[in-house]
Amino acid sequence: MASSLVTSSQPNRPPRPNLAFRRLRGQRSPAEFAAAIRRAALEIGEQVSCDARYIGRVEAGEIRCPNYAYERVFLHMFPGRTLTDLGFAPRSAVRGRRTRDTEDAPPTCTANPANATSESSGACEPYETQNPYDPYHPHDTYEESDVLRRAFMTGGGATVAAASLGPVGLALDAAAAQRPVRRAGASDAGALEEAVRRIRLLDDRHGADGLYRRAAAPLRAAYALLDAGTTRQTTADRLYSGAGELAISVGWLAHDSGRFDDARSHYAEALATARMTDDPGLEAHAFCNTAFLARDAGRPREAVRAAQAAQRVARPVGSARLMSLLALREAGGWAGLADRVGCEQALARAQALFDRGPSDDDPEWMSFYGEAELEGLEAQCWSTLGDWPRAARHARRAAELQDPHFTRNIALYTAELADDLARGGRPDEAAVAGMRVLDLLEEVQSSRIQTMLAATARVLSPHRRASGVSAFLERHASLPRMV
Protein backbone atom coordinates (compact mmCIF):
# COMPACT_ATOMS: atom_id res chain seq x y z
CA MET A 1 0.00 0.00 0.00
CA ALA A 2 1.05 3.59 -0.35
CA SER A 3 2.87 5.28 2.46
CA SER A 4 1.25 8.16 4.31
CA LEU A 5 -0.06 10.80 1.97
CA VAL A 6 0.99 14.43 1.96
CA THR A 7 -0.96 17.48 0.93
CA SER A 8 0.17 20.81 -0.39
CA SER A 9 -1.21 24.27 -0.08
CA GLN A 10 0.14 25.04 -3.53
CA PRO A 11 -2.39 24.81 -6.33
CA ASN A 12 -2.55 21.84 -8.70
CA ARG A 13 -2.85 22.99 -12.28
CA PRO A 14 -5.08 20.50 -14.11
CA PRO A 15 -4.14 19.47 -17.65
CA ARG A 16 -6.12 21.11 -20.43
CA PRO A 17 -8.36 18.61 -22.28
CA ASN A 18 -7.47 17.97 -25.92
CA LEU A 19 -10.84 18.75 -27.49
CA ALA A 20 -9.49 18.67 -31.05
CA PHE A 21 -8.36 15.07 -30.63
CA ARG A 22 -11.70 14.17 -29.03
CA ARG A 23 -13.53 15.58 -32.07
CA LEU A 24 -11.40 13.44 -34.37
CA ARG A 25 -12.55 10.33 -32.51
CA GLY A 26 -16.17 11.17 -33.32
CA GLN A 27 -18.68 8.45 -32.47
CA ARG A 28 -16.07 5.74 -32.05
CA SER A 29 -15.31 4.38 -28.59
CA PRO A 30 -11.76 4.87 -27.26
CA ALA A 31 -11.05 1.19 -27.91
CA GLU A 32 -12.29 1.44 -31.51
CA PHE A 33 -10.25 4.59 -32.14
CA ALA A 34 -7.16 2.90 -30.65
CA ALA A 35 -7.66 -0.04 -33.01
CA ALA A 36 -7.86 2.37 -35.97
CA ILE A 37 -4.58 3.96 -34.85
CA ARG A 38 -2.88 0.56 -34.64
CA ARG A 39 -4.09 -0.29 -38.15
CA ALA A 40 -2.83 3.03 -39.49
CA ALA A 41 0.55 2.34 -37.87
CA LEU A 42 0.82 -0.99 -39.65
CA GLU A 43 0.10 0.75 -42.96
CA ILE A 44 3.31 2.78 -42.65
CA GLY A 45 5.42 0.16 -40.93
CA GLU A 46 5.21 1.65 -37.44
CA GLN A 47 4.53 -0.27 -34.21
CA VAL A 48 2.52 1.47 -31.51
CA SER A 49 0.77 -0.18 -28.56
CA CYS A 50 -2.20 2.17 -28.55
CA ASP A 51 -5.22 1.29 -26.42
CA ALA A 52 -8.25 2.95 -24.84
CA ARG A 53 -6.25 4.22 -21.88
CA TYR A 54 -3.80 6.02 -24.16
CA ILE A 55 -6.72 7.68 -25.99
CA GLY A 56 -8.20 8.75 -22.66
CA ARG A 57 -4.96 10.29 -21.50
CA VAL A 58 -4.50 12.21 -24.75
CA GLU A 59 -8.05 13.53 -24.58
CA ALA A 60 -7.59 14.49 -20.92
CA GLY A 61 -4.51 16.50 -21.88
CA GLU A 62 -2.11 14.35 -19.87
CA ILE A 63 -0.06 13.60 -22.98
CA ARG A 64 0.76 17.02 -24.35
CA CYS A 65 2.99 15.84 -27.19
CA PRO A 66 3.23 12.32 -28.69
CA ASN A 67 6.48 10.56 -29.42
CA TYR A 68 7.85 10.41 -32.94
CA ALA A 69 6.22 7.07 -33.80
CA TYR A 70 2.77 8.29 -32.78
CA GLU A 71 3.38 11.59 -34.56
CA ARG A 72 4.05 9.81 -37.85
CA VAL A 73 0.93 7.69 -37.41
CA PHE A 74 -1.30 10.67 -36.58
CA LEU A 75 -0.02 12.70 -39.52
CA HIS A 76 -0.61 9.67 -41.77
CA MET A 77 -4.17 9.33 -40.49
CA PHE A 78 -4.94 13.04 -40.83
CA PRO A 79 -2.96 14.31 -43.83
CA GLY A 80 -2.50 18.04 -44.13
CA ARG A 81 -2.74 18.63 -40.39
CA THR A 82 -0.01 19.47 -37.91
CA LEU A 83 0.35 18.28 -34.34
CA THR A 84 -1.03 21.65 -33.25
CA ASP A 85 -4.09 21.06 -35.42
CA LEU A 86 -4.56 17.77 -33.57
CA GLY A 87 -4.57 19.61 -30.24
CA PHE A 88 -1.01 18.85 -29.12
CA ALA A 89 1.50 21.33 -27.77
CA PRO A 90 4.53 22.16 -29.91
CA ARG A 91 7.39 19.81 -29.19
CA SER A 92 9.61 22.72 -28.23
CA ALA A 93 7.17 23.71 -25.49
CA VAL A 94 7.17 20.34 -23.74
CA ARG A 95 9.88 19.69 -21.20
CA GLY A 96 11.77 16.46 -21.61
CA ARG A 97 12.73 13.81 -19.12
CA ARG A 98 15.59 14.81 -16.86
CA THR A 99 17.62 12.78 -14.41
CA ARG A 100 19.01 13.92 -11.11
CA ASP A 101 22.52 13.94 -12.54
CA THR A 102 21.58 16.41 -15.26
CA GLU A 103 18.78 18.39 -13.67
CA ASP A 104 20.57 21.69 -14.25
CA ALA A 105 21.25 20.95 -17.91
CA PRO A 106 18.81 22.05 -20.63
CA PRO A 107 16.46 19.33 -21.87
CA THR A 108 17.49 17.53 -25.02
CA CYS A 109 15.54 15.47 -27.50
CA THR A 110 16.33 11.95 -28.61
CA ALA A 111 18.84 12.18 -31.42
CA ASN A 112 17.44 9.24 -33.30
CA PRO A 113 13.64 9.14 -33.53
CA ALA A 114 13.81 5.46 -34.37
CA ASN A 115 14.89 4.82 -30.80
CA ALA A 116 11.73 6.40 -29.39
CA THR A 117 9.42 3.47 -29.95
CA SER A 118 7.18 3.62 -26.90
CA GLU A 119 4.97 6.49 -25.86
CA SER A 120 7.09 7.18 -22.79
CA SER A 121 10.46 7.03 -24.50
CA GLY A 122 12.34 9.83 -26.18
CA ALA A 123 13.54 12.85 -24.29
CA CYS A 124 10.85 15.19 -25.52
CA GLU A 125 7.81 12.94 -25.47
CA PRO A 126 6.46 12.73 -21.91
CA TYR A 127 3.98 10.04 -21.05
CA GLU A 128 2.81 12.49 -18.40
CA THR A 129 3.82 16.11 -18.43
CA GLN A 130 5.57 17.59 -15.44
CA ASN A 131 3.49 19.51 -12.94
CA PRO A 132 5.61 22.52 -11.88
CA TYR A 133 3.40 22.98 -8.81
CA ASP A 134 4.15 19.53 -7.38
CA PRO A 135 6.72 20.06 -4.58
CA TYR A 136 7.37 16.34 -4.17
CA HIS A 137 8.51 15.68 -7.75
CA PRO A 138 10.28 18.93 -8.63
CA HIS A 139 12.76 17.67 -11.20
CA ASP A 140 12.59 13.93 -11.81
CA THR A 141 9.03 13.36 -13.02
CA TYR A 142 10.39 11.51 -16.05
CA GLU A 143 13.27 9.74 -14.41
CA GLU A 144 12.83 5.97 -14.44
CA SER A 145 14.29 3.94 -11.61
CA ASP A 146 17.20 1.60 -12.25
CA VAL A 147 14.78 -1.28 -11.84
CA LEU A 148 12.61 0.05 -14.65
CA ARG A 149 15.17 1.15 -17.17
CA ARG A 150 16.16 -2.01 -19.02
CA ALA A 151 13.17 -4.37 -19.23
CA PHE A 152 13.61 -7.16 -21.74
CA MET A 153 17.07 -5.81 -22.63
CA THR A 154 18.88 -9.10 -22.05
CA GLY A 155 20.83 -10.51 -24.99
CA GLY A 156 19.58 -10.78 -28.53
CA GLY A 157 16.30 -12.52 -29.17
CA ALA A 158 15.98 -15.56 -31.36
CA THR A 159 12.53 -14.52 -32.54
CA VAL A 160 10.90 -11.37 -33.81
CA ALA A 161 8.84 -11.23 -30.63
CA ALA A 162 11.82 -11.48 -28.35
CA ALA A 163 13.67 -8.84 -30.33
CA SER A 164 10.66 -6.56 -30.09
CA LEU A 165 10.65 -6.67 -26.31
CA GLY A 166 13.56 -4.28 -25.98
CA PRO A 167 11.70 -0.97 -25.64
CA VAL A 168 9.15 -2.02 -23.03
CA GLY A 169 10.66 0.15 -20.32
CA LEU A 170 10.73 -2.16 -17.30
CA ALA A 171 13.88 -4.08 -16.43
CA LEU A 172 15.22 -6.28 -13.75
CA ASP A 173 18.46 -8.22 -13.77
CA ALA A 174 19.63 -10.42 -10.92
CA ALA A 175 21.71 -7.67 -9.34
CA ALA A 176 19.04 -5.01 -9.67
CA ALA A 177 16.54 -7.27 -7.93
CA GLN A 178 18.57 -6.99 -4.73
CA ARG A 179 19.18 -3.23 -4.83
CA PRO A 180 16.90 -0.81 -2.99
CA VAL A 181 15.04 1.59 -5.26
CA ARG A 182 13.87 5.14 -4.64
CA ARG A 183 10.23 5.86 -3.99
CA ALA A 184 8.19 5.15 -7.07
CA GLY A 185 6.73 8.03 -9.05
CA ALA A 186 4.28 8.69 -11.85
CA SER A 187 6.91 7.89 -14.50
CA ASP A 188 7.36 4.43 -12.97
CA ALA A 189 3.61 3.84 -13.10
CA GLY A 190 3.65 4.94 -16.73
CA ALA A 191 6.51 2.56 -17.57
CA LEU A 192 4.66 -0.27 -15.83
CA GLU A 193 1.48 0.40 -17.80
CA GLU A 194 3.50 0.54 -21.01
CA ALA A 195 5.09 -2.83 -20.21
CA VAL A 196 1.61 -4.36 -19.93
CA ARG A 197 0.59 -2.86 -23.28
CA ARG A 198 3.75 -4.05 -24.99
CA ILE A 199 3.38 -7.61 -23.73
CA ARG A 200 -0.23 -7.73 -24.91
CA LEU A 201 0.69 -6.31 -28.30
CA LEU A 202 3.47 -8.85 -28.83
CA ASP A 203 1.26 -11.73 -27.67
CA ASP A 204 -1.43 -10.64 -30.14
CA ARG A 205 1.08 -10.87 -32.96
CA HIS A 206 3.45 -13.67 -32.00
CA GLY A 207 1.89 -15.84 -29.31
CA ALA A 208 3.14 -16.67 -25.84
CA ASP A 209 5.96 -19.18 -26.19
CA GLY A 210 8.71 -16.71 -27.03
CA LEU A 211 7.63 -14.18 -24.42
CA TYR A 212 6.88 -15.91 -21.15
CA ARG A 213 10.33 -16.29 -19.61
CA ARG A 214 11.35 -12.77 -20.61
CA ALA A 215 8.18 -11.32 -19.09
CA ALA A 216 9.00 -12.58 -15.60
CA ALA A 217 11.64 -9.87 -15.02
CA PRO A 218 9.25 -6.91 -15.44
CA LEU A 219 6.82 -8.60 -13.06
CA ARG A 220 9.51 -8.83 -10.39
CA ALA A 221 10.34 -5.19 -11.07
CA ALA A 222 6.69 -4.20 -10.66
CA TYR A 223 6.44 -5.76 -7.21
CA ALA A 224 9.77 -4.16 -6.24
CA LEU A 225 8.14 -0.82 -7.05
CA LEU A 226 5.20 -1.61 -4.78
CA ASP A 227 7.62 -2.42 -2.01
CA ALA A 228 9.47 0.87 -2.55
CA GLY A 229 6.30 2.85 -1.81
CA THR A 230 5.16 6.23 -3.07
CA THR A 231 4.01 9.52 -1.59
CA ARG A 232 0.85 9.91 -3.66
CA GLN A 233 -2.27 7.78 -3.48
CA THR A 234 -3.07 8.21 -7.18
CA THR A 235 0.38 6.87 -8.08
CA ALA A 236 0.00 4.00 -5.61
CA ASP A 237 -3.34 3.05 -7.15
CA ARG A 238 -1.80 3.05 -10.63
CA LEU A 239 1.14 0.95 -9.46
CA TYR A 240 -1.06 -1.67 -7.79
CA SER A 241 -3.40 -1.81 -10.76
CA GLY A 242 -0.49 -2.03 -13.18
CA ALA A 243 1.25 -4.75 -11.18
CA GLY A 244 -1.97 -6.76 -11.04
CA GLU A 245 -2.55 -6.40 -14.77
CA LEU A 246 1.06 -7.36 -15.44
CA ALA A 247 0.66 -10.47 -13.27
CA ILE A 248 -2.39 -11.42 -15.35
CA SER A 249 -0.53 -10.80 -18.61
CA VAL A 250 2.42 -12.93 -17.50
CA GLY A 251 -0.04 -15.53 -16.23
CA TRP A 252 -1.70 -15.59 -19.63
CA LEU A 253 1.66 -16.15 -21.34
CA ALA A 254 2.20 -19.12 -19.02
CA HIS A 255 -1.36 -20.31 -19.64
CA ASP A 256 -1.14 -20.10 -23.43
CA SER A 257 2.23 -21.88 -23.46
CA GLY A 258 0.89 -24.79 -21.38
CA ARG A 259 2.43 -23.86 -18.00
CA PHE A 260 -0.83 -24.16 -16.08
CA ASP A 261 0.66 -24.24 -12.57
CA ASP A 262 2.63 -21.05 -13.24
CA ALA A 263 -0.47 -19.41 -14.70
CA ARG A 264 -2.56 -20.32 -11.66
CA SER A 265 0.05 -18.76 -9.38
CA HIS A 266 0.18 -15.51 -11.34
CA TYR A 267 -3.61 -15.22 -11.51
CA ALA A 268 -3.83 -15.80 -7.74
CA GLU A 269 -1.24 -13.07 -7.21
CA ALA A 270 -3.31 -10.66 -9.30
CA LEU A 271 -6.45 -11.60 -7.38
CA ALA A 272 -4.75 -10.92 -4.07
CA THR A 273 -3.50 -7.55 -5.33
CA ALA A 274 -7.03 -6.63 -6.46
CA ARG A 275 -8.54 -7.50 -3.10
CA MET A 276 -5.89 -5.60 -1.14
CA THR A 277 -6.72 -2.44 -3.07
CA ASP A 278 -10.47 -3.02 -3.49
CA ASP A 279 -10.18 -2.88 -7.31
CA PRO A 280 -13.27 -4.58 -8.82
CA GLY A 281 -12.03 -4.24 -12.39
CA LEU A 282 -8.77 -6.03 -11.63
CA GLU A 283 -10.55 -8.64 -9.53
CA ALA A 284 -13.00 -9.37 -12.36
CA HIS A 285 -10.09 -9.69 -14.81
CA ALA A 286 -8.27 -12.12 -12.51
CA PHE A 287 -11.39 -14.24 -12.04
CA CYS A 288 -12.03 -14.13 -15.81
CA ASN A 289 -8.64 -15.64 -16.57
CA THR A 290 -8.92 -18.09 -13.69
CA ALA A 291 -12.16 -19.38 -15.21
CA PHE A 292 -10.50 -19.75 -18.60
CA LEU A 293 -7.56 -21.61 -17.07
CA ALA A 294 -9.85 -23.93 -15.10
CA ARG A 295 -11.70 -24.84 -18.29
CA ASP A 296 -8.45 -25.62 -20.12
CA ALA A 297 -7.09 -27.58 -17.16
CA GLY A 298 -10.14 -29.86 -17.09
CA ARG A 299 -11.85 -28.29 -14.06
CA PRO A 300 -15.14 -27.12 -15.62
CA ARG A 301 -17.03 -26.71 -12.33
CA GLU A 302 -14.33 -24.38 -11.06
CA ALA A 303 -14.58 -22.51 -14.38
CA VAL A 304 -18.30 -21.91 -13.84
CA ARG A 305 -17.82 -20.72 -10.26
CA ALA A 306 -14.91 -18.42 -11.14
CA ALA A 307 -16.86 -16.91 -14.03
CA GLN A 308 -19.89 -16.34 -11.82
CA ALA A 309 -17.69 -14.70 -9.17
CA ALA A 310 -16.24 -12.47 -11.88
CA GLN A 311 -19.72 -11.38 -12.92
CA ARG A 312 -20.63 -10.46 -9.35
CA VAL A 313 -17.59 -8.25 -8.81
CA ALA A 314 -17.73 -6.75 -12.32
CA ARG A 315 -21.18 -5.20 -12.03
CA PRO A 316 -19.89 -1.88 -10.59
CA VAL A 317 -17.53 -1.53 -13.56
CA GLY A 318 -20.52 -0.81 -15.79
CA SER A 319 -19.21 -2.53 -18.94
CA ALA A 320 -21.66 -4.66 -20.90
CA ARG A 321 -18.81 -6.02 -23.01
CA LEU A 322 -16.98 -7.20 -19.90
CA MET A 323 -20.13 -8.93 -18.64
CA SER A 324 -20.53 -10.51 -22.08
CA LEU A 325 -17.02 -11.99 -21.98
CA LEU A 326 -17.58 -13.29 -18.46
CA ALA A 327 -20.82 -14.97 -19.56
CA LEU A 328 -18.81 -16.71 -22.29
CA ARG A 329 -16.34 -17.93 -19.68
CA GLU A 330 -19.29 -19.37 -17.79
CA ALA A 331 -20.62 -20.98 -20.97
CA GLY A 332 -17.27 -22.70 -21.48
CA GLY A 333 -17.53 -24.23 -18.02
CA TRP A 334 -21.07 -25.46 -18.62
CA ALA A 335 -19.95 -27.02 -21.91
CA GLY A 336 -17.18 -28.85 -20.05
CA LEU A 337 -19.84 -30.23 -17.69
CA ALA A 338 -21.86 -31.37 -20.74
CA ASP A 339 -24.70 -29.10 -19.60
CA ARG A 340 -26.09 -27.97 -22.95
CA VAL A 341 -28.96 -25.97 -21.43
CA GLY A 342 -26.68 -24.06 -19.06
CA CYS A 343 -24.26 -23.40 -21.91
CA GLU A 344 -26.97 -22.13 -24.26
CA GLN A 345 -28.36 -19.80 -21.59
CA ALA A 346 -24.94 -18.32 -20.90
CA LEU A 347 -24.26 -17.94 -24.64
CA ALA A 348 -27.57 -16.12 -25.13
CA ARG A 349 -26.74 -13.78 -22.25
CA ALA A 350 -23.29 -13.14 -23.71
CA GLN A 351 -24.75 -12.24 -27.11
CA ALA A 352 -27.38 -9.93 -25.63
CA LEU A 353 -24.77 -8.09 -23.57
CA PHE A 354 -22.41 -7.86 -26.53
CA ASP A 355 -25.15 -6.33 -28.66
CA ARG A 356 -25.33 -3.35 -26.29
CA GLY A 357 -22.11 -2.21 -27.90
CA PRO A 358 -18.84 -0.78 -26.60
CA SER A 359 -18.64 1.98 -24.02
CA ASP A 360 -16.08 4.17 -22.32
CA ASP A 361 -16.32 1.87 -19.28
CA ASP A 362 -14.85 -1.09 -21.17
CA PRO A 363 -11.48 -2.06 -19.59
CA GLU A 364 -8.48 -1.36 -21.77
CA TRP A 365 -7.32 -4.99 -21.65
CA MET A 366 -10.46 -5.99 -23.57
CA SER A 367 -9.23 -4.60 -26.90
CA PHE A 368 -9.11 -8.21 -28.20
CA TYR A 369 -12.80 -8.78 -27.49
CA GLY A 370 -14.87 -8.13 -30.57
CA GLU A 371 -17.25 -10.11 -32.70
CA ALA A 372 -14.46 -12.45 -33.81
CA GLU A 373 -13.62 -13.43 -30.24
CA LEU A 374 -17.30 -13.89 -29.44
CA GLU A 375 -17.64 -16.28 -32.38
CA GLY A 376 -14.41 -18.07 -31.49
CA LEU A 377 -15.39 -18.72 -27.88
CA GLU A 378 -18.83 -19.92 -28.94
CA ALA A 379 -17.14 -22.27 -31.41
CA GLN A 380 -15.13 -23.74 -28.54
CA CYS A 381 -18.33 -24.35 -26.56
CA TRP A 382 -20.00 -26.25 -29.40
CA SER A 383 -16.83 -28.20 -30.03
CA THR A 384 -16.71 -29.26 -26.37
CA LEU A 385 -20.35 -30.35 -26.67
CA GLY A 386 -19.51 -32.37 -29.80
CA ASP A 387 -21.61 -30.31 -32.22
CA TRP A 388 -18.91 -30.19 -34.90
CA PRO A 389 -20.87 -28.55 -37.77
CA ARG A 390 -22.07 -25.74 -35.52
CA ALA A 391 -18.60 -25.31 -34.05
CA ALA A 392 -17.08 -25.12 -37.54
CA ARG A 393 -19.52 -22.41 -38.63
CA HIS A 394 -18.60 -20.20 -35.71
CA ALA A 395 -14.87 -20.89 -36.01
CA ARG A 396 -14.90 -20.01 -39.71
CA ARG A 397 -16.73 -16.78 -39.01
CA ALA A 398 -14.28 -15.93 -36.22
CA ALA A 399 -11.28 -16.32 -38.53
CA GLU A 400 -12.96 -14.20 -41.21
CA LEU A 401 -13.87 -11.39 -38.81
CA GLN A 402 -10.59 -11.15 -36.93
CA ASP A 403 -8.58 -7.94 -37.24
CA PRO A 404 -5.30 -8.79 -39.06
CA HIS A 405 -3.43 -7.21 -36.12
CA PHE A 406 -4.33 -10.24 -33.97
CA THR A 407 -2.24 -12.81 -35.86
CA ARG A 408 -2.21 -15.23 -32.98
CA ASN A 409 -6.01 -15.28 -32.75
CA ILE A 410 -6.38 -15.83 -36.51
CA ALA A 411 -4.15 -18.88 -36.13
CA LEU A 412 -6.17 -20.04 -33.10
CA TYR A 413 -9.56 -19.73 -34.78
CA THR A 414 -8.29 -21.41 -37.94
CA ALA A 415 -6.84 -24.28 -35.87
CA GLU A 416 -10.23 -24.62 -34.17
CA LEU A 417 -11.88 -24.70 -37.60
CA ALA A 418 -9.48 -27.39 -38.86
CA ASP A 419 -10.18 -29.59 -35.85
CA ASP A 420 -13.96 -29.15 -36.06
CA LEU A 421 -13.93 -29.98 -39.77
CA ALA A 422 -11.75 -33.05 -39.21
CA ARG A 423 -13.97 -34.38 -36.44
CA GLY A 424 -17.07 -33.53 -38.47
CA GLY A 425 -16.04 -35.80 -41.34
CA ARG A 426 -14.67 -33.19 -43.77
CA PRO A 427 -10.97 -34.11 -43.96
CA ASP A 428 -10.19 -32.29 -47.21
CA GLU A 429 -11.46 -28.95 -45.86
CA ALA A 430 -9.70 -29.62 -42.56
CA ALA A 431 -6.40 -30.08 -44.40
CA VAL A 432 -6.81 -26.74 -46.17
CA ALA A 433 -7.45 -24.96 -42.88
CA GLY A 434 -4.54 -26.81 -41.28
CA MET A 435 -2.21 -25.59 -44.02
CA ARG A 436 -3.24 -22.00 -43.28
CA VAL A 437 -2.36 -22.53 -39.63
CA LEU A 438 1.05 -23.92 -40.59
CA ASP A 439 1.67 -20.76 -42.62
CA LEU A 440 0.78 -18.60 -39.62
CA LEU A 441 3.02 -20.60 -37.29
CA GLU A 442 5.99 -19.06 -39.07
CA GLU A 443 5.28 -15.88 -37.08
CA VAL A 444 3.26 -17.19 -34.12
CA GLN A 445 4.63 -19.30 -31.27
CA SER A 446 1.83 -20.85 -29.21
CA SER A 447 1.88 -24.25 -27.57
CA ARG A 448 -1.91 -24.11 -27.43
CA ILE A 449 -2.20 -23.85 -31.20
CA GLN A 450 0.46 -26.48 -31.82
CA THR A 451 -1.32 -28.87 -29.43
CA MET A 452 -4.62 -28.30 -31.25
CA LEU A 453 -2.97 -28.90 -34.61
CA ALA A 454 -1.35 -32.10 -33.37
CA ALA A 455 -4.76 -33.39 -32.29
CA THR A 456 -6.17 -32.54 -35.73
CA ALA A 457 -3.31 -34.41 -37.40
CA ARG A 458 -4.13 -37.51 -35.36
CA VAL A 459 -7.79 -37.31 -36.41
CA LEU A 460 -6.79 -36.89 -40.07
CA SER A 461 -4.20 -39.66 -40.07
CA PRO A 462 -6.65 -42.39 -41.22
CA HIS A 463 -7.75 -40.14 -44.12
CA ARG A 464 -4.44 -39.74 -45.95
CA ARG A 465 -6.09 -40.47 -49.30
CA ALA A 466 -8.42 -37.49 -49.01
CA SER A 467 -7.43 -34.44 -51.04
CA GLY A 468 -4.65 -32.44 -49.39
CA VAL A 469 -4.50 -34.51 -46.22
CA SER A 470 -1.23 -36.29 -46.99
CA ALA A 471 0.50 -33.00 -47.80
CA PHE A 472 -0.77 -31.47 -44.56
CA LEU A 473 0.37 -34.44 -42.48
CA GLU A 474 3.83 -34.44 -44.04
CA ARG A 475 4.27 -30.72 -43.48
CA HIS A 476 2.97 -30.98 -39.94
CA ALA A 477 5.38 -33.83 -39.21
CA SER A 478 8.27 -31.60 -40.24
CA LEU A 479 7.46 -29.01 -37.55
CA PRO A 480 10.07 -28.62 -34.79
CA ARG A 481 8.93 -30.52 -31.72
CA MET A 482 7.71 -28.51 -28.73
CA VAL A 483 9.98 -28.50 -25.71
Side-chain angles (χ1 to χ4, degrees):
M1 302 298 288
S3 59
S4 58
L5 300 181
V6 290
T7 59
S8 170
S9 59
Q10 292 175 280
N12 262 338
R13 178 178 296 174
R16 180 178 299 173
N18 187 336
L19 300 180
F21 198 83
R22 174 62 186 88
R23 285 193 293 270
L24 291 171
R25 175 159 67 88
Q27 297 300 311
R28 289 174 286 190
S29 73
E32 290 170 328
F33 195 37
I37 290 171
R38 294 196 302 269
R39 287 193 294 270
L42 293 175
E43 292 171 2
I44 60 173
E46 287 290 354
Q47 178 175 300
V48 296
S49 50
C50 188
D51 56 21
R53 181 178 176 86
Y54 180 87
I55 299 302
R57 301 192 70 159
V58 171
E59 292 178 359
E62 295 177 12
I63 298 175
R64 293 176 56 204
C65 185
N67 71 15
Y68 288 105
Y70 274 104
E71 177 182 355
R72 287 189 287 272
V73 175
F74 292 152
L75 297 184
H76 168 68
M77 292 180 70
F78 307 108
R81 304 193 193 199
T82 65
L83 285 181
T84 304
D85 295 332
L86 302 181
F88 293 107
R91 196 172 296 282
S92 59
V94 179
R95 290 185 62 186
R97 180 183 295 137
R98 303 170 68 179
T99 66
R100 289 189 182 93
D101 293 338
T102 60
E103 65 184 25
D104 294 324
T108 58
C109 293
T110 302
N112 182 3
N115 293 330
T117 54
S118 72
E119 66 175 292
S120 58
S121 63
C124 290
E125 297 105 29
Y127 184 86
E128 294 182 290
T129 56
Q130 181 166 340
N131 179 358
Y133 297 96
D134 179 2
Y136 301 101
H137 298 276
H139 296 297
D140 60 345
T141 303
Y142 308 114
E143 179 189 358
E144 295 177 29
S145 70
D146 290 339
V147 173
L148 287 167
R149 209 184 304 268
R150 301 178 305 280
F152 299 134
M153 297 297 281
T154 55
T159 65
V160 173
S164 300
L165 283 168
V168 169
L170 273 168
L172 189 64
D173 55 28
Q178 306 303 319
R179 291 197 298 267
V181 297
R182 63 171 174 80
R183 284 188 179 273
S187 64
D188 300 318
L192 175 53
E193 291 158 351
E194 178 63 14
V196 175
R197 295 186 189 103
R198 180 69 62 176
I199 288 172
R200 289 172 182 161
L201 177 68
L202 293 171
D203 176 53
D204 291 340
R205 292 179 177 172
H206 305 291
D209 285 16
L211 306 179
Y212 172 60
R213 296 196 182 280
R214 297 172 71 87
L219 183 57
R220 290 193 298 273
Y223 281 94
L225 286 175
L226 296 185
D227 207 40
T230 181
T231 57
R232 312 182 91 191
Q233 186 64 54
T234 54
T235 302
D237 290 344
R238 287 177 62 194
L239 286 170
Y240 273 91
S241 176
E245 290 294 345
L246 185 57
I248 291 173
S249 291
V250 175
W252 166 247
L253 296 178
H255 180 174
D256 196 42
S257 55
R259 300 172 174 92
F260 287 177
D261 288 343
D262 288 356
R264 190 178 182 88
S265 175
H266 289 307
Y267 293 160
E269 190 169 36
L271 187 59
T273 301
R275 287 177 167 173
M276 281 191 295
T277 55
D278 194 23
D279 185 337
L282 179 60
E283 187 174 357
H285 191 185
F287 270 131
C288 175
N289 280 43
T290 299
F292 198 13
L293 175 63
R295 187 207 71 170
D296 287 351
R299 299 191 298 269
R301 197 170 303 279
E302 179 186 331
V304 171
R305 295 187 65 179
Q308 291 174 340
Q311 290 169 78
R312 287 194 299 272
V313 299
R315 289 191 184 100
V317 177
S319 167
R321 285 286 168 93
L322 174 57
M323 296 298 287
S324 172
L325 176 60
L326 298 176
L328 282 168
R329 295 287 187 244
E330 182 184 341
W334 289 125
L337 291 169
D339 187 333
R340 189 182 185 97
V341 173
C343 181
E344 288 180 335
Q345 290 175 345
L347 287 174
R349 196 164 69 251
Q351 183 67 63
L353 288 162
F354 185 87
D355 288 343
R356 295 184 189 178
S359 76
D360 291 346
D361 293 320
D362 296 339
E364 63 174 282
W365 59 267
M366 289 190 64
S367 59
F368 72 94
Y369 185 56
E371 191 174 0
E373 181 74 3
L374 175 70
E375 294 284 347
L377 291 175
E378 182 165 355
Q380 292 173 14
C381 289
W382 295 121
S383 179
T384 302
L385 289 168
D387 192 337
W388 313 118
R390 198 166 185 176
R393 286 198 302 273
H394 286 283
R396 189 187 303 277
R397 183 161 170 77
E400 291 171 349
L401 289 171
Q402 184 59 68
D403 186 328
H405 163 78
F406 293 95
T407 312
R408 178 260 180 202
N409 279 4
I410 294 174
L412 175 67
Y413 302 147
T414 308
E416 175 70 37
L417 173 61
D419 197 62
D420 293 335
L421 290 169
R423 296 175 189 277
R426 297 154 71 180
D428 51 343
E429 294 179 58
V432 172
M435 283 293 201
R436 289 201 297 271
V437 178
L438 290 172
D439 291 338
L440 291 167
L441 286 180
E442 294 177 4
E443 53 183 306
V444 172
Q445 294 183 356
S446 170
S447 295
R448 173 191 298 270
I449 295 171
Q450 292 191 40
T451 300
M452 292 172 65
L453 208 57
T456 302
R458 288 193 293 271
V459 174
L460 288 177
S461 186
H463 304 281
R464 287 181 176 272
R465 294 184 179 180
S467 175
V469 171
S470 180
F472 164 73
L473 292 174
E474 290 175 5
R475 186 175 171 192
H476 177 264
S478 69
L479 283 178
R481 292 298 155 202
M482 294 181 292
V483 294

